[in-house]
């Protein structure tokens, strides 16, 4: 039965995708008498599994509030949509007298030495 705690998969996935999803097996080996659990690849391709794991890791890192997101979506659905002749991106402004679009340039951000991995 669908719901929380289940793995939801789109119905258009092929057989190869399921083979890739199950391409690794958890095995236990003993090192100096202590059990060590390791994942061993059983098939040559496992991209589907990797993508699934990376997506789950990103979700855990971001830790969004789904309750607040649902409330915002309900508020947006209740508000009437403004009618515009021309869609404008948030970083753009429209000069109505000349009908030209002015684009704001993004500010330059000072980069820290060492990259984002060392500063994480």
């Amino acid at each position: 039965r669908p719901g929380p705690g289940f793995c939801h998969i789109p119905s258009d996935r092929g057989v190869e995708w399921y083979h890739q999803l199950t391409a690794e097996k958890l095995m236990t080996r003993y090192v100096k008498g202590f059990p060590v659990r390791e994942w061993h690849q059983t098939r040559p391709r496992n991209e589907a599994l990797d993508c699934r794991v990376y997506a789950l890791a990103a979700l855990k890192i971001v830790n969004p509030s789904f309750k607040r997101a649902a409330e915002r979506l309900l508020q947006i659905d209740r508000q009437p949509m403004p009618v515009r002749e021309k869609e404008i991106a948030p970083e753009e402004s429209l000069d109505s007298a000349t009908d030209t679009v002015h684009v704001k340039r993004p500010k330059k951000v000072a980069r820290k030495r060492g990259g984002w991995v060392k500063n994480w």
Side-chain angles (χ1 to χ4, degrees):
R1 198 170 111 206
F6 286 80
C7 183
H8 300 276
I9 298 171
S11 60
D12 65 344
R13 298 291 189 243
V15 175
E16 176 62 25
W17 188 84
Y18 289 100
H19 286 303
Q20 289 183 18
L21 192 66
T22 58
E24 293 183 5
K25 181 179 177 183
L26 183 63
M27 299 177 79
T28 304
R29 69 181 182 105
Y30 291 89
V31 177
K32 297 183 181 179
F34 293 98
V36 176
R37 296 171 23 149
E38 297 174 336
W39 288 97
H40 289 274
Q41 195 168 345
T42 60
R43 298 189 198 299
R45 298 187 62 191
N46 65 346
E47 291 90 7
L49 177 63
D50 290 342
C51 289
R52 199 93 175 156
V53 169
Y54 292 148
L56 181 61
L59 179 69
K60 294 291 185 182
I61 290 169
V62 172
N63 193 19
S65 171
F66 291 111
K67 185 177 179 181
R68 269 193 283 159
E71 290 170 358
R72 286 186 197 142
L73 287 174
L74 289 174
Q75 289 175 354
I76 290 171
D77 286 342
R78 292 183 188 138
Q79 295 175 355
M81 290 291 292
V83 179
R84 289 188 194 176
E85 292 180 16
K86 188 175 184 181
E87 278 296 317
I88 300 172
E91 63 274 356
E92 299 175 347
S93 63
L94 180 65
D95 185 2
S96 59
T98 60
D99 200 32
T100 58
V101 176
H102 301 284
V103 179
K104 294 179 186 175
R105 291 186 181 192
K107 293 180 181 178
K108 288 189 177 181
V109 179
R111 297 178 79 171
K112 294 181 181 178
R113 301 191 106 197
W116 67 273
V117 174
K118 290 184 180 178
N119 298 324
W120 188 16

